[in-house]
Amino acid sequence: MSAASDRLTDALYGLGWSTVKKLPEPVAGALGRTVADTVWKRRGPSVLRLESNLARVVPDAGPERLAALSKAGMRSYMRYWMESFRLPAWSEERVRDGVEIKDIDRLFDGLTTGRGVVLALPHMANWDLAGAWLTRAHGVPFTTVAERLKPESLYDRFVAYRESLGMEVVPHTGGSAFGTLARRLRDGGLVALVADRDLSASGIEVDFFGDTARMPVGPSLLAQQTGALLLPVSLWFDDSRVMRGQVFPPVPVPETGTRAEKASVMTQAVADAFAAGIAEHPEDWHMLQRLWVADLDRGPE
């Protein structure tokens, strides 16, 4: 990406955070749907990749069903952005009333034990809103990891945005993230990680919708090393202003096996929980990148 392109990208995100948050909510929602439909009609690489990924999730879907799913998926994705641009300006009441998560007691009960909790989430619905709901509506602080973005100024914007919502953010690269997360867990804290796409060379291969994908090992290793509870979560939108969610049962640490073998079993269990949530709400899975190993091995799209 050129320096000029970097500046344009940063400026566009800055415009979103400065302008969209001032729009009335119905206007922002309508704008998001218009943008989503326009992008979907152009059938660019991101839309085609989303559709290809959804074809694995819903293998019996014909072309019309896949097209409808990808259109709904782009609308869901733009709802995420419209909400995220507006989220810093939302009142505590709007945040509190904007989320409803089944079995959230699994998280709160886990924290009361003092053992720490790792939440593992896929790229579904609005994970930033879920984080703000925890910090602002329930007073539960947590630590997360941010992918290094280019330009650096854009990464700084995302860090500042998430910190403004009450999150502690550590960079994905640099080597110190795992140690920081482990310390927070040993202190009985909460760590939340988006964990359905591997950003390193150390991911674990899992069976995901009948084919091999690679997912991060971090959540499993953290739970194994610190004794923290590992809880997969799924999120989705419906036709209301409320985002829904589900906290799945804890992923246990196997009693036998090497560290790597235990991590492999646990990561597969997380992948299975993600698959269950995504299968129920495929249009809210915002996976616009390659994920499966067979796709990663192919040349440029």
Side-chain angles (χ1 to χ4, degrees), residues 277-294:
I278 292 166
E280 288 189 5
H281 306 280
E283 68 278 5
D284 290 313
W285 187 43
H286 306 155
M287 186 53 65
L288 279 67
Q289 299 85 19
R290 301 185 191 196
L291 177 69
W292 281 271
V293 171

Side-chain angles (χ1 to χ4, degrees), residues 1 17 29 36 91-92 110 125 155 163 173 192 216 228 237 243 264 288:
M1 187 180 286
W17 269 300
S91 67
E92 183 175 310
Y155 169 78
E163 288 179 341
T173 57
F237 295 129
M243 181 180 71
S264 179
L288 279 67

Side-chain angles (χ1 to χ4, degrees), residues 179-203:
T180 300
L181 300 177
R183 285 193 294 275
R184 300 295 180 268
L185 292 169
R186 290 193 181 100
D187 290 339
L190 173 63
V191 165
L193 300 171
V194 180
D196 56 345
R197 185 166 68 93
D198 180 46
L199 297 174
S200 70
S202 59

Side-chain angles (χ1 to χ4, degrees), residues 5-301:
S5 181
D6 283 350
R7 289 193 295 271
L8 177 60
T9 299
D10 181 61
L12 289 173
Y13 279 99
L15 181 65
W17 269 300
S18 63
T19 303
V20 173
K21 71 179 180 181
K22 298 176 183 177
L23 298 175
E25 192 161 352
V27 175
L31 175 62
R33 289 188 294 274
T34 299
V35 172
D37 291 351
T38 301
V39 172
W40 178 79
K41 287 177 183 177
R42 290 177 178 172
R43 308 289 289 165
S46 294
V47 173
L48 294 178
R49 172 48 50 196
L50 174 63
E51 206 160 282
S52 176
N53 290 338
L54 288 171
R56 292 180 181 270
V57 174
V58 191
D60 58 346
E64 290 186 4
R65 170 66 172 148
L66 279 177
L69 275 176
S70 66
K71 184 176 183 178
M74 291 308 299
R75 285 191 168 197
S76 176
Y77 186 51
M78 285 302 160
R79 175 173 171 176
Y80 160 75
W81 279 112
M82 292 298 108
E83 287 185 352
S84 294
F85 287 143
R86 293 172 49 76
L87 194 47
W90 280 12
S91 67
E92 183 175 310
E93 180 182 19
R94 176 66 182 89
V95 172
R96 185 188 65 241
D97 295 342
V99 178
E100 184 177 289
I101 298 182
K102 298 177 183 178
D103 297 318
I104 191 63
D105 287 345
R106 287 172 173 156
L107 166 60
F108 295 145
D109 291 347
L111 290 173
T112 62
T113 68
R115 62 184 291 194
V117 175
V118 180
L119 286 182
L121 304 92
H123 286 80
M124 291 187 76
N126 191 338
W127 45 96
D128 288 326
L129 173 56
W133 181 73
L134 284 173
T135 59
R136 294 173 61 183
H138 293 279
V140 178
F142 68 91
T143 305
T144 189
V145 172
E147 177 184 359
R148 281 284 186 187
L149 300 172
K150 292 184 179 181
E152 188 74 14
S153 56
L154 181 58
Y155 169 78
D156 292 339
R157 283 188 190 274
F158 271 96
V159 170
Y161 158 64
R162 289 181 171 131
E163 288 179 341
S164 75
L165 301 177
M167 310 176 194
E168 179 189 21
V169 182
V170 297
H172 180 267
T173 57
S176 62
F178 190 91
T180 300
L181 300 177
R183 285 193 294 275
R184 300 295 180 268
L185 292 169
R186 290 193 181 100
D187 290 339
L190 173 63
V191 165
L193 300 171
V194 180
D196 56 345
R197 185 166 68 93
D198 180 46
L199 297 174
S200 70
S202 59
I204 294 287
E205 290 192 352
V206 296
D207 179 82
F208 196 55
F209 289 103
D211 207 345
T212 302
R214 193 174 292 120
M215 293 190 179
V217 70
S220 298
L221 287 180
L222 283 166
Q224 194 181 149
Q225 186 165 312
T226 67
L229 203 64
L230 175 55
L231 297 174
V233 179
S234 67
L235 303 169
W236 64 92
F237 295 129
D238 58 20
D239 293 332
S240 73
R241 299 198 309 169
V242 179
M243 181 180 71
R244 315 291 176 177
Q246 168 74 55
V247 179
F248 290 93
V251 174
V253 178
E255 295 182 0
T256 60
T258 65
R259 184 169 179 255
E261 289 169 344
K262 292 178 181 180
S264 179
V265 171
M266 295 172 72
T267 305
Q268 181 63 63
V270 171
D272 291 344
F274 287 172
I278 292 166
E280 288 189 5
H281 306 280
E283 68 278 5
D284 290 313
W285 187 43
H286 306 155
M287 186 53 65
L288 279 67
Q289 299 85 19
R290 301 185 191 196
L291 177 69
W292 281 271
V293 171
D295 295 333
L296 294 171
D297 291 341
R298 293 173 183 165
E301 296 180 330

